[in-house]
Amino acid sequence: MSMSVDFKTYVDQACRAAEEFVNIYYETMDKRRHAITRLYLDKASLIWNGNAVTGMEGLKKFFDMLPSSEFQVNILDCQPVHEQATQAQTTILVVTSGTVKFDGNKQHFFNQNFLLTAQSTPNSTVWKIASDCFRFQDWAGH
Amino acid sequence: KFVLQNTHSDMYHQQKYALPLQKYGNYSNEEYSMDNRRVFQQRGRNYTWHKFDRKDYNFEHTGAPYAVGLNKKKRRWNDDDRTFLSAWDDRKHKESKMSYNAQNGTRESWFKVTIPSGRNYDKTWLMNSIMSICSVPFTPVDFHYDKNQARFFVQDASTASALKDASLKICDEENQKIIIFVRPSIVPYSVKSYFTPKQMEQIKLTMMKRYDVSQKSLDLRKFRFDRDLMSCDIDMMLNRRCCMNATLQIIQSNIPELLSLNLCNNKLYQLDGLSEVVEKAPQVKILNLSKNKLRSVSELEKVKELKLEELWLEGNPLCRTFQNESAYASAIRDQFPTLIRLDGKELLSQTVMNNENPQLRKESYKEPEIIRDLVVQFLKEYYSIYDSGDRHGLLSAYHDEACFSLTIPFNSCDSDLSNLEEYFKHNRDLIKLKDSYTRMKLLKHTNRAIVDSLSTLPKTQHDFYSFWVDMSLCTEVMLCFSVNGVFKEVEGKYQGCVRAFTRTFVTVPKSSSSMYIINDKMILRNSSPREIQKPFIPLPTVSPSLPKSTLSEKHQEMVKSFSEQSGMKLEYSQKCLDDNEWDYTKASKIFSILQTDGKIPKEFFK
């Protein structure tokens, strides 16, 4: 950690970013699905119930295919990620859990974690998803 | 016994032809023991006789002996057909190889074998199955696909009849019986000599001129317009099967060790003719098919058995069918997994994940299997210690400035959260917790704080083999993965309770085979009934500590420090110190030396 910014500030910043981001993300997923890929980095990776989706094209297709959703986030937590892991790109780990109902399917409990990376523009900091891992809680696997 | 019919089995003879024999009386052996000459000599008579018999379809032998029963059409009578009307003597198996192929003037009988839907089967499997069922061993010639059918040629009638017998005897994966049609045919292309020997010699000379021995590479670009060939009036259109065959034949006979083949600019529309290259020049690793007329990637399937390292395809219509470069590259790579360069550019090694940092993209990533093994090993060690009863052993697993937090999701169905009360004091949920101070407090920072905190959690037993791991991100400097699984409480008020967890780890490399946790985020809940179904298989746990009675307090301290500093397990740290007369500095030195030399086995480390 660079000495100039102390840990507490990092944590506060991370928490604020996480809260804001999660609000935007799930609202976009539910109400403006076509715009969801704007929240992802070009080379972001998504693992959805064990299936990997990469690249903007892949993500676009995937989210198109996914039926319309109704998310309810019950918990949220985040941690700042140390720069040693990110080569000085400010990154936070965000974890959420809640329920989701996809059109035509039953309701599921889900767990999701994101790695968000800050992209600074002159006016503000935009957080984008570098990786997204989503799983139904009752996804039993093989 | 004597039968005037070209059929395969004795049984068949008896069944089908016993009756006609009676009908037409007995024929003595001498009169009808056929050999080639007699057939022709008695051509007139035989002709009549057989013509008569053709009314009875059971007797169908209109020159397609292997279509008996199946082929109900009247077939055209021609020279080829007639030649198969030789008679069989059961005692001596006379082959009808003596048929005279009027067209070519060579003494051969060729048969075309067709397997409808043959394209759907793997070629090796198909041929092996047929060969295993066929009573006569054979070599298929000119195996190729025509639309959905697989076709090849065989020589001699006994093979042909044996293959006909094999029809409907092989079942494919869907339990459909495979039909094999066999018909006589003219000599197959590859055997047929399209060029005169003199021409072949000239072609060979021309090719050798274009062959670079040092590189083992053959440059046949624009072969048709080669000066030498044109001056001899030889038209080598490589898109024609016969020309490609001749070329491949020459390669096979003279330079089978060929490594690089350049077929640029030869108006190749399809690669059927080239498919033989797999047998004739199996070492080819560099193939240049640029500037041809290949329309689709499926053409490449015909040569996909080549273990290509370099391939050129630019300038073919198929290149334009892809949306972008990476779709193109991956489609090609699907056909040729060993490919290193495409159109002159290096293909990046497959990466499981990618990193947004452009600098890192160029470096080679570890193969996914290596990473997976790394993670599995890490998790085994981690949970071994986690379940051992003393979680302080995890200190060295965490980075100095790692973070940890725990959250218990509020799920309306899981109403009884009271049995998670031991964990609630650590519960960090930003939705419910708005107070900045508490938020900070519940985020454990530094490895010591984390390990202390973990040590206060109830003792557990994890079901390692039930774990699911999702690899979210993998870069040169970090891994991010999530572990989903279950564990049991093994003591205390809630002993026996099974919990389900999702734990997200972010790790950074410690050495080439180990890592530090830099973020650890756990979500914990009661498991659902489904999740407890399988039996628990715990990992063997690390012995928590050495028998304390044998070591003095001072030595125990030394062992503990040494273990923390070196990363070695307690027992091995003790051994090292013991071996060095409990001289801490000396032991450290020896340890460092051994470690740099790589002499210390992995199992010694935590």
Side-chain angles (χ1 to χ4, degrees), chain A residues 1 8 19 41 45 47 74-80 82 84-85 89 95 111 113 117 133 135 137, chain B residues 356 399 401 405 407 410 428-430 434 436 439 470-472 482 502 504 518-521 523 525:
Chain A
M1 291 271 186
K8 185 167 190 314
E19 287 173 305
L41 287 176
S45 66
I47 310 239
N74 290 335
I75 57 137
L76 160 67
D77 194 10
C78 76
Q79 295 176 5
H82 195 280
Q84 189 172 334
Q89 290 203 311
V95 169
N111 291 331
N113 63 65
T117 289
C133 178
R135 233 179 219 279
Q137 265 177 24
Chain B
E356 67 272 17
H399 187 274
E401 298 193 60
S405 64
T407 315
F410 166 77
R428 186 175 188 250
D429 172 9
L430 301 180
K434 299 295 182 189
S436 168
R439 284 178 172 187
D470 285 326
M471 282 291 295
S472 297
S482 303
T502 303
T504 307
I518 207 162
N519 286 91
D520 179 356
K521 169 80 216 137
I523 296 185
R525 55 188 169 86

Side-chain angles (χ1 to χ4, degrees), chain B residues 438-451:
Chain B
T438 324
R439 284 178 172 187
M440 267 306 285
K441 190 161 156 252
L442 289 175
L443 179 65
K444 310 298 173 188
H445 185 223
T446 77
N447 50 359
R448 288 196 180 281
I450 294 173
V451 170

Side-chain angles (χ1 to χ4, degrees), chain B residues 567-570 572-573 575 600-606:
Chain B
M568 286 206 297
K569 293 180 189 163
L570 289 167
Y572 298 105
S573 304
K575 185 168 192 312
I600 306 185
K602 260 206 261 191
E603 304 87 66
F604 282 26
F605 289 90
K606 296 185 221 162

Side-chain angles (χ1 to χ4, degrees), chain B residues 68-81:
Chain B
V68 174
L70 289 177
N71 189 347
K72 304 259 181 221
K73 293 186 288 193
K74 271 203 176 185
R75 296 199 21 130
R76 201 168 46 83
W77 191 257
N78 59 24
D79 271 352
D80 272 358
D81 292 347

Side-chain angles (χ1 to χ4, degrees), chain B residues 7 74 132 206 215 264 277 299 366 426 429 491 548:
Chain B
T7 56
K74 271 203 176 185
S132 59
T206 317
Q215 303 281 338
C264 168
V277 73
E299 287 298 326
K366 286 191 190 145
H426 301 274
D429 172 9
E491 69 177 8
K548 294 198 199 266

Side-chain angles (χ1 to χ4, degrees), chain B residues 9-277:
Chain B
S9 63
D10 284 336
M11 274 285 287
Y12 200 70
H13 290 177
Q14 283 156 23
Q15 277 168 5
K16 294 272 179 187
Y17 306 107
L19 192 53
L21 275 177
Q22 279 169 10
K23 210 166 158 192
Y24 301 114
N26 282 321
Y27 298 97
S28 67
N29 259 352
E30 294 81 73
E31 213 176 340
Y32 291 91
S33 62
M34 298 295 190
D35 61 19
N36 218 7
R37 286 169 280 123
R38 285 264 183 93
V39 171
F40 294 127
Q41 282 163 18
Q42 295 173 19
R43 193 185 278 188
R45 204 197 295 179
N46 284 348
Y47 189 99
T48 319
W49 194 89
H50 289 300
K51 209 169 165 186
F52 185 38
D53 287 341
R54 259 199 281 151
K55 283 185 198 163
D56 180 348
Y57 282 134
N58 278 341
F59 241 119
E60 181 69 62
H61 50 234
T62 55
Y66 304 100
V68 174
L70 289 177
N71 189 347
K72 304 259 181 221
K73 293 186 288 193
K74 271 203 176 185
R75 296 199 21 130
R76 201 168 46 83
W77 191 257
N78 59 24
D79 271 352
D80 272 358
D81 292 347
R82 190 192 319 184
T83 59
F84 297 106
L85 293 177
S86 50
W88 284 81
D89 185 326
D90 285 345
R91 290 163 303 175
K92 289 185 280 173
H93 182 76
K94 277 193 191 159
E95 297 163 8
S96 59
K97 217 192 270 200
M98 43 204 174
S99 57
Y100 185 77
N101 189 327
Q103 282 181 340
N104 260 16
T106 51
R107 288 182 179 273
E108 290 174 339
S109 61
W110 283 91
F111 296 85
K112 178 159 73 177
V113 181
T114 307
I115 295 134
S117 311
R119 201 193 265 278
N120 300 339
Y121 308 116
D122 171 65
K123 179 186 168 184
T124 326
W125 173 85
L126 183 62
M127 293 315 293
N128 285 341
S129 311
I130 296 178
M131 288 197 206
S132 59
I133 263 217
C134 181
S135 52
V136 176
F138 65 93
T139 319
V141 173
D142 270 8
F143 184 98
H144 65 280
Y145 293 112
D146 178 359
K147 300 213 183 72
N148 251 359
Q149 302 171 316
R151 285 220 176 105
F152 60 91
F153 295 88
V154 292
Q155 216 173 344
D156 93 57
S158 53
T159 315
S161 89
L163 281 169
K164 174 88 187 13
D165 272 344
S167 177
L168 294 172
K169 297 242 169 66
I170 307 171
C171 278
D172 69 14
E173 283 162 4
E174 277 142 32
N175 260 335
Q176 300 276 12
K177 296 194 181 165
I178 296 180
I179 305 173
I180 302 174
F181 290 122
V182 183
R183 294 187 193 86
S185 88
I186 54 171
V187 179
Y189 284 129
S190 64
V191 176
K192 202 176 202 181
S193 209
Y194 190 80
F195 297 106
T196 67
K198 190 166 168 231
Q199 286 177 318
M200 285 294 276
E201 189 56 39
Q202 179 56 52
I203 298 173
K204 177 178 144 200
L205 285 172
T206 317
M207 280 171 69
M208 288 303 124
K209 271 196 200 166
R210 289 160 161 259
Y211 179 63
D212 178 343
V213 180
S214 63
Q215 303 281 338
K216 295 201 190 138
S217 87
L218 179 59
D219 184 352
L220 294 180
R221 65 185 119 173
K222 261 188 154 179
F223 197 33
R224 186 180 184 196
F225 299 103
D226 182 287
R227 289 253 165 90
D228 292 350
L229 292 180
M230 285 173 81
S231 63
C232 296
D233 232 354
I234 301 177
D235 196 2
M236 275 303 265
M237 290 174 28
L238 284 179
N239 60 351
R240 273 205 181 169
R241 216 178 170 123
C242 46
C243 299
M244 182 62 89
N245 269 321
T247 312
L248 290 176
Q249 254 185 302
I250 293 173
I251 294 177
Q252 186 184 34
S253 332
N254 297 284
I255 41 168
E257 67 272 15
L258 187 65
L259 275 181
S260 159
L261 180 58
N262 187 336
L263 292 168
C264 168
N265 228 326
N266 275 298
K267 283 220 175 86
L268 296 177
Y269 285 89
Q270 29 87 340
L271 295 180
D272 292 57
L274 194 56
S275 61
E276 304 254 310
V277 73

